[in-house]
């Protein structure tokens, strides 16, 4: 069901030029497939478009609550909710645990694209954040009661529509599009580009995640990449903070891998990537085609690399349970206000800012992938 799209690289002039070439290449690559449909490749185009699952149920549920949803304040700016599902249902997902008939959002990122497409901000929302979840429609047709609970429970209660409504109530930001990917789809996309190189400061030996890797630069295949972005207890301080940091860094490394290769301009390599990506996606109906995805990618081509930022929503330990999170009210409100008004977000490097900093002038995060081996 979802995937996440993001970008990260160094802020040098060379990196900016490479970034523009990559995004233009992405648009060109998808465009080649579209043009190919006219010349006898319609079956190929139709197959790839058919791979994408249109989230019609979410669209209908959101339409039901249209009056209570936030109003978009800046025409042309876009907010896309990227959801990684931990479902155990579906091909290949059963190995990650018993399928109890439920699923939660293992990863959720709010991606804001500025109106002028000169900046993009990706905000991670912790799964352990305590939030107000509205009454939602369950898969069995029943409706849940509103509750104050973990953020990732919203997806379990009512799927993507429930998660979107929860985020909108939390941030007062209108969600324009959403994309969902599951375990199997994530792995397939990594394998389609022959793995993603990352730099590990320490070796990893996690039996639960079945992940054993040496320190230094290593190339992760799909299975290893999934373990890397999901493992929590055996790396760093064992917190969700470290896990979200690794996810953000991996996204940067993923984009750098595609950017530095000829995948997007080589049809023989592009098709496996598109096939894996489209097969993994569940999106709102407007995005559920190659044409819809092309329109989204085309809008990214002029975003400077150093203006693509990753950060985590300002939060602190929940007052009643230190194993849960709550928003740092003033700072989180300041961030949401900036995004809502499509104003610049200033991100301070993690080494110079802390999650609990009360200053609203800068937010803890990254403007570049931490992918250097020293």
């Amino acid at each position: 069901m979802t995937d996440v799209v993001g970008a990260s690289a160094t802020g040098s002039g060379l990196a900016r030029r490479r970034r523009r070439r990559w995004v233009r290449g992405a648009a060109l690559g998808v465009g080649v497939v579209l043009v190919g449909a006219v010349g006898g490749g319609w079956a190929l185009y139709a197959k790839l478009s058919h791979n994408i699952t249109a989230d019609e149920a979410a669209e209908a549920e959101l339409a039901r609550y249209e009056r209570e949803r936030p109003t978009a304040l800046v025409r042309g700016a876009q907010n896309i909710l990227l959801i990684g599902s931990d479902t155990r249902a579906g091909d290949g997902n059963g190995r990650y645990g018993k399928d109890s008939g439920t699923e939660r959002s293992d990863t959720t990122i709010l991606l804001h694209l500025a109106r002028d497409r000169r900046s993009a901000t990706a905000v991670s929302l912790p799964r352990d954040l305590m939030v107000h979840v509205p009454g939602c429609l369950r898969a069995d047709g029943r409706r849940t009661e509103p509750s104050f609970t973990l953020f990732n429970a919203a997806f379990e209660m009512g799927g993507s529509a429930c998660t979107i409504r929860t985020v909108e109530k939390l941030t007062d930001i209108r969600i324009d599009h959403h994309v969902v990917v599951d375990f199997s789809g994530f792995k397939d996309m990594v394998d389609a580009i022959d793995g993603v190189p990352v730099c590990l400061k320490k070796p990893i030996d996690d039996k639960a995640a079945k992940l054993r890797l040496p320190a230094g630069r290593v190339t992760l295949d799909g299975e290893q990449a999934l373990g890397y972005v999901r493992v929590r207890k055996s790396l760093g301080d064992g917190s969700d903070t470290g896990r979200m940091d690794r996810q953000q860094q991996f996204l940067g490394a993923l984009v750098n891998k595609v950017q530095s290769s000829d995948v997007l301009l080589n049809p023989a390599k592009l098709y496996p990537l598109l096939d894996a990506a489209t097969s993994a996606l569940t999106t709102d109906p407007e995005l559920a085609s190659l044409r819809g995805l092309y329109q989204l990618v085309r809008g990214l081509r002029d975003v400077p690399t150093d203006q693509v930022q990753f950060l985590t929503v300002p939060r602190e330990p929940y007052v009643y349970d230190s194993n849960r999170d709550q928003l740092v009210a003033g700072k989180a409100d300041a961030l949401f206000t900036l995004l809502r008004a499509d104003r610049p977000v200033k991100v301070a490097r993690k080494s110079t800012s802390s999650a609990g900093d009360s200053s609203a002038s800068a937010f803890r995060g990254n403007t570049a992938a931490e992918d250097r081996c020293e």
Side-chain angles (χ1 to χ4, degrees), residues 17 21 38-39 79 111 125 202 214 244 277 293 295 329 349:
R17 291 193 295 273
R21 286 200 300 270
V38 179
N79 297 294
L111 176 64
L125 299 172
K202 297 181 180 180
M244 287 186 292
L293 291 177
Q295 293 296 329
R349 296 295 298 273

Side-chain angles (χ1 to χ4, degrees), residues 210-229:
K210 299 179 181 179
L211 187 64
R212 189 173 184 178
L213 299 167
R217 185 171 297 279
V218 295
T219 297
L220 306 181
D221 62 23
E223 189 75 33
Q224 292 169 328
L226 179 61
Y228 179 70
V229 299

Side-chain angles (χ1 to χ4, degrees), residues 77-318:
Q78 286 195 323
N79 297 294
I80 305 162
L81 199 64
L82 311 170
I83 306 170
S85 165
D86 71 350
T87 180
R88 267 64 170 178
D91 293 341
N93 289 333
R95 74 186 67 181
Y96 305 111
K98 183 178 180 181
D99 179 14
S100 61
T102 64
E103 55 183 314
R104 296 195 180 195
S105 51
D106 194 62
T107 301
T108 305
I109 294 175
L110 173 59
L111 176 64
H112 174 79
L113 304 180
R115 176 183 180 177
D116 61 7
R117 296 303 187 266
R118 300 300 294 169
S119 67
T121 304
V123 182
S124 293
L125 299 172
R127 58 184 181 181
D128 292 338
L129 189 68
M130 297 299 295
V131 297
H132 290 280
V133 177
C136 294
L137 180 65
R138 293 168 51 94
D140 61 10
R142 295 182 296 166
R143 288 194 174 271
T144 64
E145 293 294 325
S147 59
F148 184 66
T149 185
L150 295 175
F151 171 67
N152 70 343
F155 196 74
E156 177 185 4
M157 292 179 184
S160 53
C162 192
T163 299
I164 291 168
R165 292 179 60 216
T166 299
V167 171
E168 289 185 339
K169 288 181 178 296
L170 181 72
T171 65
D172 199 28
I173 294 172
R174 173 82 176 207
I175 302 301
D176 301 297
H177 299 292
H178 68 278
V179 182
V180 188
V181 66
D182 66 13
F183 291 161
S184 183
F186 174 85
K187 293 190 307 175
D188 289 346
M189 284 187 286
V190 173
D191 286 335
I193 58 173
D194 298 323
V196 174
V198 298
C199 183
L200 304 180
K201 295 181 179 179
K202 297 181 180 180
I204 299 175
D205 188 358
D206 188 295
K207 293 181 180 179
K210 299 179 181 179
L211 187 64
R212 189 173 184 178
L213 299 167
R217 185 171 297 279
V218 295
T219 297
L220 306 181
D221 62 23
E223 189 75 33
Q224 292 169 328
L226 179 61
Y228 179 70
V229 299
R230 297 192 69 243
V231 69
R232 177 173 176 174
K233 295 182 179 180
S234 66
L235 291 183
D237 59 5
S239 70
D240 203 37
T241 299
R243 188 180 66 89
M244 287 186 292
D245 287 346
R246 284 193 302 278
Q247 290 172 352
Q248 293 170 5
Q249 291 164 12
F250 181 83
L251 288 177
L254 175 64
V255 170
N256 286 337
K257 170 62 184 289
V258 176
Q259 181 182 11
S260 64
S261 69
D262 62 348
V263 170
L264 295 172
L265 296 177
N266 185 334
K269 293 183 178 181
L270 176 62
Y271 177 76
L273 176 59
L274 287 177
D275 190 35
T278 54
S279 297
L281 299 181
T282 295
T283 76
D284 58 277
E286 189 174 343
L287 288 185
S289 69
L290 281 183
R291 188 177 299 276
L293 291 177
Y294 169 71
Q295 293 296 329
L296 178 63
V297 170
R298 188 178 66 174
L300 291 169
R301 61 186 162 193
D302 293 324
V303 179
T305 303
D306 59 353
Q307 293 303 309
V308 179
Q309 306 178 114
F310 291 108
L311 65 150
T312 299
V313 66
R315 87 278 190 220
E316 61 191 0
Y318 179 47

Side-chain angles (χ1 to χ4, degrees), residues 49-71:
S49 285
H50 182 72
N51 283 347
I52 307 170
T53 300
D55 201 346
E56 305 283 358
E59 182 182 44
E61 179 70 354
L62 292 173
R64 177 187 177 98
Y65 292 96
E66 179 60 36
R67 286 190 174 184
E68 70 178 41
R69 299 184 65 195
T71 300

